[in-house]
Amino acid sequence: TAGVEREGWRVAAEKEMTDNFVHRNVFRPALEDEVRQHGPALPMKCVWTLKKPDPTSSRRIKKCRAVVCGNMQAKSAVEQLYTSQVDIASILVSLRLATMWAWMTSAIDVKAAFLYAPLPETMMIIVRPPACFIKFGLAKAGELWRLQKALYGLRVAPRLWGVERELKLKTLRWRTKVGTLELIQSCVDSCVWCVRVVFQRPYGCATSLLGILVTYVDDFLVMMTDSEERRGLINAIKALWDTSEECKLSPVTPVTFCGLEISLVDGNLHVHQRAYINQLFAKYDLLGAKSLNNLA
């Protein structure tokens, strides 16, 4: 049994190395002069998790995520780590519009999103492969890597992914029967994008609003009618990045986004954080506590 269990974790580590690190060109071998210039290499470690493929399944999938120990990286007084965060009010307003106009609401997320963001040429980061990669024969003892992508654990990784995400969304175009569509970034909240038709006129003028896309790190909330235009947007996003399957909101399928649980009950949207609240209750051993109304 122990051998089977170990083999399962080895396969998970191999998948992380092959599918993410090698396939996405996350690193290259560090040169000797780069190592001398950089100084001590940053260590890496693996984070191991067991995940369910879907809520209805009891089977758990072994996953490995190799990360940099970014807490050991020298800090700079001028480094910029900020990445935009969507305002909760923007989500609620978007959902209200989706309800008014009978739009379909769905969620989709980008897998290993940070690994799509390239590191600037001026940013040199040398790392030492995780010990488990060496143990499983995925890396050689003593080898060092120069990172080329924003690996998880780096303090700057969220910001670099945010820059990459906005760059791609600003240039996204897809053709439909109504014309070529594009995403226009809101001037009120940079995480809100409006779906509009592009005209062949100066400054890329657009027609009426066809839908809304809201971003939160690597999660996207899409609100549009169930149409060719919507399917074109989803396909365009999938062409840019490797994503999860689209989770469509329905009376039997809730959607989670930005910590909010969105449910459809009798045609009305219910937005709450019941799962998060239950986690807090469980954390402080309050699941069996009496309600406040019953307290003496």
Side-chain angles (χ1 to χ4, degrees), residues 35 38-42 126 128:
V35 175
H38 181 273
L42 294 175
I126 308 296
R128 186 169 61 250

Side-chain angles (χ1 to χ4, degrees), residues 18-284:
T18 304
D19 294 357
N20 289 334
F21 280 52
V22 176
H23 180 68
R24 300 187 185 182
N25 297 315
V26 170
F27 69 91
R28 64 166 175 79
L31 304 176
E32 291 185 6
D33 58 338
E34 292 175 339
V35 175
R36 286 194 296 268
Q37 181 181 350
H38 181 273
L42 294 175
M44 293 180 62
K45 67 178 182 179
C46 286
V47 179
W48 310 93
T49 55
L50 282 170
K51 290 191 174 183
K52 288 185 178 181
D54 60 75
T56 62
S57 174
S58 60
R59 183 172 60 93
R60 290 182 176 271
I61 297 177
K62 295 179 173 64
K63 295 197 68 174
C64 170
R65 173 62 56 82
V67 302
V68 179
C69 298
N71 59 311
M72 302 184 69
Q73 186 179 10
K75 295 183 179 181
S76 169
V78 296
E79 64 183 1
Q80 297 182 7
L81 307 178
Y82 171 80
T83 185
S84 58
Q85 298 288 333
V86 64
D87 193 293
I88 294 296
S90 298
I91 301 175
L92 298 179
V93 169
S94 299
L95 289 172
R96 176 57 178 162
L97 292 176
T99 303
M100 290 173 54
W101 294 330
W103 285 346
M104 175 188 288
T105 299
S106 67
I108 190 171
D109 66 88
V110 180
K111 297 180 180 179
F114 291 2
L115 303 185
Y116 285 100
L119 289 180
E121 286 292 332
T122 56
M123 183 179 296
M124 183 190 301
I125 299 179
I126 308 296
V127 298
R128 186 169 61 250
C132 64
F133 275 24
I134 299 172
K135 186 176 182 179
F136 288 142
L138 303 174
K140 297 179 180 178
E143 72 173 295
L144 299 176
W145 298 341
R146 175 169 179 174
L147 295 184
Q148 300 183 117
K149 299 292 180 65
L151 193 59
Y152 285 85
L154 294 176
R155 293 194 306 277
V156 74
R159 176 178 176 272
L160 291 178
W161 159 244
V163 171
E164 175 70 8
R165 180 194 61 209
E166 292 194 5
L167 177 64
K168 289 293 193 296
L169 292 180
K170 284 180 179 178
T171 58
L172 192 63
R173 302 286 187 277
W174 67 102
R175 293 185 178 182
T176 66
K177 293 179 180 178
V178 301
T180 301
L181 305 188
E182 67 176 349
L183 293 170
I184 302 296
Q185 194 171 24
S186 169
C187 60
V188 177
D189 190 327
S190 62
C191 292
V192 177
W193 301 76
C194 302
V195 182
R196 298 184 184 271
V197 179
V198 177
F199 280 103
Q200 299 302 317
R201 293 193 291 180
Y203 312 112
C205 298
T207 60
S208 58
L209 184 67
L210 297 179
I212 296 175
L213 171 72
V214 182
T215 63
Y216 175 69
V217 192
D218 55 359
D219 293 332
F220 297 162
L221 192 68
V222 181
M223 289 152 283
M224 289 181 70
T225 56
D226 189 8
S227 60
E228 175 196 357
E229 292 74 36
R230 178 194 184 87
R231 290 188 290 273
L233 172 58
I234 298 298
N235 290 335
I237 293 175
K238 287 179 174 291
L240 289 174
W241 306 298
D242 182 20
T243 69
S244 66
E245 289 300 317
E246 183 184 14
C247 179
K248 298 179 180 179
L249 179 66
S250 73
V252 296
T253 306
V255 166
T256 301
F257 181 78
C258 194
L260 300 176
E261 294 176 68
I262 307 168
S263 304
L264 189 60
V265 181
D266 297 329
N268 298 315
L269 288 182
H270 287 211
V271 182
H272 57 86
Q273 290 185 295
R274 187 174 295 115
Y276 172 68
I277 294 172
N278 286 337
Q279 286 179 2
L280 290 180
F281 284 165
K283 179 179 179 179
Y284 295 102

Side-chain angles (χ1 to χ4, degrees), residues 1-10 62:
T1 303
V4 173
E5 189 74 10
R6 183 181 186 278
E7 177 61 15
W9 290 116
R10 189 200 66 78
K62 295 179 173 64

